[in-house]
Amino acid sequence: MTVVKHVDVHVEGIVQGVGFRPFVRSLAIRLGLAGRVRGDVNGVHIEIEGALAGVEEFLTALERDAPALSDIERVTVVSGEPAGHRGFTIAASDPSGLRRALVPADTATCDDCLRELADPADRRHRYPFIGCVTCGPRFTIVRGAPYDRPRTTMAGYTLCPACAAEYHAPGNRRFHDHTAGCPACGPRLRLLDARGADLCGDPIACAVTLLHAGRVVAVKGLGGFHLAVPAAHEHAAATLRGRKHREDQPFAVMAADLAQARRLCTIDDTAAGLLTSRARPIVLLPRRPGAPVAAGVAPGHRTLGLLLPYTALHHLLLAELGEPIALAGGDVSGEPIAHTDADALTRLGGIADAFLTHDRPIHVRADDSVLRPMSGEVTVLRRARGYAPEPLPLRHRVPRPVLACGAELNSTICLAAERRAYLSQHLGDLHDQDALRAFAEAIDHYCGLSGIRPDVVAHDLHTGYPSTRHALAIPGADLVGVQHHHAHIASCLADNGDSGPVIGVAFDGLGHGPDGALWGGEFLRADLATYERLGHLTPVPMPAGAIRQPWRMAAAYLRHDHPGLAVVRRNAASWAGVLGRADAPLTSSAARLFDAVSALLGIRDTVTYDGQAAIELEQHADPAETGTYPAAVTLRDLRCAGDLLAVDGGDLVRAAAEDLTAGVPTPVIAGRFHNGVADAIARACQTLRQATGLSAVALSGSVFQNALLLEGTVERLRAAGFRVLRHIRVPPHDGGLSLGQAAVAAARDRA
């Protein structure tokens, strides 16, 4: 006699919007089992019954053969009495209860859809919004959870009979595809002029004609608008740069495929994997000599930010254009990117000549993610489309739900509950009301999707940050202030699933220390809950205006030494005045040290975007240079309060100045400087290991976006026997800070 087994199965993780329920149904039918599956606010609930062997195989295959886009975090199985199910059905989702289901990230158009897109016999031939259950928009169109069509911006599109038949047909690739549509019933493409009037003809063909003529075309993607010009068109690139008031910051370049991309950049297996991944990020790669890219696309850079098409619209546009396009964000001077037609026409009307847009609403802005391969590993420089809002696992349970509000630049927010951290997409710099509004909307949306109502709110100690002011105004929550550089190291620890303690090296621009000083080149003893300052770069005065005028930091380091240097001559009218100011605060900032050397070498006296002087110094450096400038590392007794290790960055500046005076080429000097910083970090950590017994080092802060520095530092630390933690899933700059704040707040709550 056949034994009938019944189990209730609950699956948590990324199991909505990825074809999981159709997969469950197909698996059950194949094994001759009965029951039903439905989505709920926590994930997917399954009732399954049938022969004991079949049920056991079902439970094994459920995780083993799950759809590629799913990510199962937990499966709970409870035995019950047979219910007499006949057949297997997909039931309506249950939207009641506290929301904890995970919303998947947006996913690039899959190969099956691309084949249909190119097939003249297919009814979706050249349809710009083609998609299926395994690809297309997800996070950017979701209004609420569980993930079902009525809770997306596709709710307003009624399926035609052909699409409805696919949607309800088990085994079809669009079975329960909530983004389903076709030319008869789905979103429509339009081409508008700068005043919002329709331009006649095929929108893609007309847009291509405009691009070939050097016009700027705004293109609506998954998370907002891009501004596009042909990548090799010198005049068009210069026009876009001038209209956007983006003097130097590089544009990204989108190539049609890997073959076209390889003509622009050197692409190894790691880079190819990133470019073709479902996330389709921008990947910073070495530019090939003579690559057909206009000088105005990435001036002064040996790298290009390269990406491949991630929507059918991009594929169609690139195929018809026949060449790569340069892309700038659809914003003006650091504002949030435009994501509605009305906003785009208002803010971008003076930049774009035409708008290639559509009527599928974008509910959530999302910039492109940016990654940088480094020695076979990857550093995330911006985490957004393709990755957010998928959660990061936490090693320890969060006792009470936490909201962390991040910093001011590269803003993100983070919600943490149970063993998950929901790090938001990149929200930009909180400089204006639009940015602050997007910041507040992100908090509300993430709370709504995750069902998290924070009891604890973490924030930076800097009360001038808009994010801190927002945190302090939230009623009814326990507030936790987290020192900036401790948050950086905690972010690296959480990123690696480590609790510490470690020697934390936090090198960045500026952050307030508890003593009110401007920290930025710090050596800490840190775990998730606590930290102690063990050392720092020797502080120097930071003249007013130094962040935008790096030559002022060169003056602060050089003082009256080497008066014949070109940097002194270029700024002779103001040099003495800068040195004469007695009210300049002291700073240990590592970023300002890089600024000083950049100005010294004549690379950047002034900057037009954050970090420019240091970025261009790295680009200028000879990566093959092996020489190293020495920097003094001194240590007093760490058992005595206030006695710290000090690394004299001034030694590096003076050595660079001496070589410059002697006629050494500036790329060699820049290379020796980078090597000197890496060497000083390694020697400082060795000294601190002797004093503390710690043998693990965590590297964090914006300065570690520098590949030359990061690779040199990691190599030296590992050679010295250290276990090295570096960022792998979140940015080392302030974009990862909210994760660190959340980790600190949770750890203190556990204590």
Side-chain angles (χ1 to χ4, degrees):
M1 182 177 180
T2 301
V3 176
V4 176
K5 174 75 172 178
H6 176 101
V7 294
D8 290 316
V9 184
H10 197 267
V11 187
E12 296 176 65
I14 299 174
V15 290
Q16 295 185 8
V18 294
F20 198 86
R21 284 169 282 182
F23 155 72
V24 168
R25 182 183 184 279
S26 297
L27 176 62
I29 290 173
R30 178 169 63 82
L31 295 174
L33 303 174
R36 65 178 183 173
V37 59
R38 72 174 188 273
D40 62 24
V41 291
N42 291 307
V44 167
H45 183 79
I46 307 165
E47 297 174 35
I48 194 80
E49 61 186 36
L52 177 62
V55 171
E56 290 177 345
E57 172 60 20
F58 175 88
L59 295 175
T60 299
L62 186 69
E63 296 188 65
R64 183 191 65 206
D65 302 332
L69 299 185
S70 65
D71 186 1
I72 296 175
E73 288 189 356
R74 181 165 54 191
V75 176
T76 305
V77 180
V78 178
S79 296
E81 293 297 320
H85 286 290
R86 294 182 179 276
F88 195 95
T89 60
I90 297 179
S93 293
D94 179 6
S96 63
L98 188 63
R99 297 178 182 178
R100 289 178 183 158
L102 304 184
V103 175
D106 300 297
T107 303
T109 311
C110 70
D111 290 342
D112 288 332
C113 284
L114 290 178
R115 279 190 287 272
E116 293 176 345
L117 186 73
D119 183 359
D122 193 279
R123 68 189 186 89
R124 291 187 177 88
H125 176 232
R126 292 183 58 80
Y127 181 55
F129 309 101
I130 193 170
C132 69
V133 78
T134 62
C135 72
R138 296 294 189 271
F139 174 56
T140 51
I141 65 170
V142 168
R143 299 185 189 275
Y147 174 75
D148 279 320
R149 192 177 179 99
R151 283 174 285 275
T152 73
T153 61
M154 290 294 294
Y157 299 94
T158 301
L159 295 174
C160 67
C163 286
E166 292 173 337
Y167 185 87
H168 294 291
N172 190 283
R173 202 159 48 80
R174 294 186 174 86
F175 183 46
H176 280 231
D177 168 25
H178 304 314
T179 65
C182 72
C185 65
R188 303 287 181 90
L189 193 65
R190 301 170 67 194
L191 184 68
L192 310 178
D193 66 18
R195 295 168 297 177
D198 281 287
L199 294 172
C200 59
D202 175 75
I204 293 174
C206 290
V208 167
T209 299
L210 291 172
L211 288 169
H212 278 310
R215 300 288 192 267
V216 178
V217 177
V219 182
K220 189 176 182 180
L222 290 181
F225 281 83
H226 286 111
L227 295 160
V229 295
H233 200 300
E234 294 282 358
H235 177 71
T239 298
L240 174 55
R241 191 167 290 285
R243 291 181 184 176
K244 192 171 162 59
H245 305 294
R246 184 169 168 173
E247 296 177 35
D248 304 293
Q249 198 167 2
F251 300 145
V253 176
M254 179 180 280
D257 50 33
L258 265 181
Q260 193 177 80
R262 291 187 195 277
R263 293 194 285 273
L264 304 177
C265 292
T266 301
I267 300 174
D268 61 14
D269 290 344
T270 298
L274 294 172
L275 286 167
T276 58
S277 69
R278 66 184 180 92
R280 289 293 199 278
I282 296 171
V283 185
L284 295 188
L285 296 170
R287 185 199 303 223
R288 286 192 178 278
V293 176
V297 169
H301 283 250
R302 293 195 299 249
T303 58
L304 289 176
L306 204 60
L307 75 162
L308 298 183
Y310 52 87
T311 70
L313 174 58
H314 290 126
H315 280 281
L316 293 169
L317 187 64
L318 269 291
E320 191 149 339
L321 185 67
E323 59 179 307
I325 54 176
L327 296 174
D331 61 76
V332 181
S333 301
E335 300 171 350
I337 58 171
H339 70 298
T340 68
D341 287 6
D343 187 31
L345 287 165
T346 298
R347 289 202 282 141
L348 307 180
I351 302 174
D353 297 300
F355 293 78
L356 187 58
T357 186
H358 53 78
D359 58 3
R360 182 178 66 203
I362 297 171
H363 188 63
V364 179
R365 292 182 179 96
D367 290 272
D368 295 319
S369 295
V370 183
L371 278 61
R372 187 175 191 183
M374 298 183 185
S375 299
E377 298 179 274
V378 176
T379 293
V380 177
L381 301 182
R382 186 166 70 201
R383 185 180 185 271
R385 179 191 52 76
Y387 297 96
E390 296 179 1
L392 302 165
L394 297 175
R395 181 173 180 177
H396 301 286
R397 183 179 175 276
V398 178
R400 293 184 295 163
V402 176
L403 164 65
C405 292
E408 180 178 39
L409 303 181
N410 293 301
S411 172
T412 60
I413 60 104
C414 184
L415 286 169
E418 300 295 334
R419 291 178 182 269
R420 295 172 179 164
Y422 301 84
L423 182 66
S424 77
Q425 74 277 20
H426 167 81
L427 299 174
D429 299 343
L430 304 182
H431 289 326
D432 57 44
Q433 288 303 311
D434 286 340
L436 288 172
R437 191 178 305 110
F439 172 83
E441 289 171 353
I443 293 175
D444 290 343
H445 192 54
Y446 272 80
C447 287
L449 288 180
S450 65
I452 295 174
R453 296 294 178 266
D455 294 322
V456 179
V457 175
H459 59 84
D460 195 271
L461 296 180
H462 193 329
T463 55
Y465 284 170
S467 56
T468 300
R469 293 197 298 268
H470 186 94
L472 296 177
I474 296 175
D478 291 340
L479 297 171
V480 178
V482 183
Q483 197 279 324
H484 192 89
H485 299 93
H486 182 208
H488 270 309
I489 301 305
S491 174
C492 186
L493 289 173
D495 197 0
N496 286 272
D498 200 297
S499 300
V502 295
I503 298 169
V505 183
F507 275 26
D508 68 351
L510 294 172
H512 276 201
D515 57 359
L518 300 177
W519 292 12
E522 310 307 312
F523 295 88
L524 310 177
R525 182 197 184 279
D527 55 28
L528 291 177
T530 64
Y531 79 97
E532 177 187 4
R533 193 187 195 195
L534 301 180
H536 52 74
L537 293 179
T538 301
V540 296
M542 189 178 83
I547 292 176
R548 288 297 175 189
Q549 295 180 306
W551 72 265
R552 293 172 177 261
M553 286 310 303
Y557 272 101
L558 291 169
R559 307 299 294 173
H560 299 289
D561 296 339
H562 306 288
L565 291 169
V567 67
V568 182
R569 295 195 302 271
R570 290 194 305 270
N571 300 284
S574 303
W575 193 274
V578 166
L579 297 184
R581 293 292 297 269
D583 58 347
L586 295 177
T587 182
S588 56
S589 170
R592 304 290 82 81
L593 172 62
F594 277 75
D595 285 355
V597 176
S598 183
L600 171 66
L601 301 187
I603 297 169
R604 269 291 152 194
D605 276 1
T606 61
V607 299
T608 61
Y609 63 90
D610 186 55
Q612 182 180 7
I615 291 169
E616 293 186 3
L617 178 64
E618 180 199 352
Q619 294 292 318
H620 188 75
D622 181 357
E625 174 58 36
T626 58
T628 300
Y629 293 140
V633 177
T634 57
L635 176 70
R636 293 182 289 272
D637 190 346
L638 286 176
R639 293 171 296 179
C640 300
D643 287 340
L644 302 170
L645 173 145
V647 176
D648 193 347
D651 288 348
L652 303 177
V653 179
R654 288 185 288 272
E658 289 171 4
D659 268 359
L660 186 63
T661 301
V664 176
T666 54
V668 172
I669 297 173
R672 291 174 181 174
F673 168 75
H674 279 81
N675 293 340
V677 177
D679 179 70
I681 292 171
R683 287 189 291 115
C685 289
Q686 290 176 69
T687 301
L688 293 173
R689 177 169 56 189
Q690 294 173 0
T692 65
L694 296 174
S695 59
V697 177
L699 306 174
S700 190
S702 59
V703 173
F704 287 111
Q705 297 175 98
N706 183 317
L708 198 56
L709 175 67
L710 180 64
E711 291 171 344
T713 303
V714 170
E715 179 183 350
R716 287 166 172 80
L717 288 171
R718 286 176 176 166
F722 285 100
R723 180 169 65 90
V724 182
L725 304 179
R726 45 166 289 186
H727 285 273
I728 51 178
R729 293 172 297 182
V730 305
H733 57 61
D734 285 2
L737 203 74
S738 62
L739 173 64
Q741 292 171 343
V744 170
R748 291 179 182 171
D749 215 20
R750 287 191 296 270

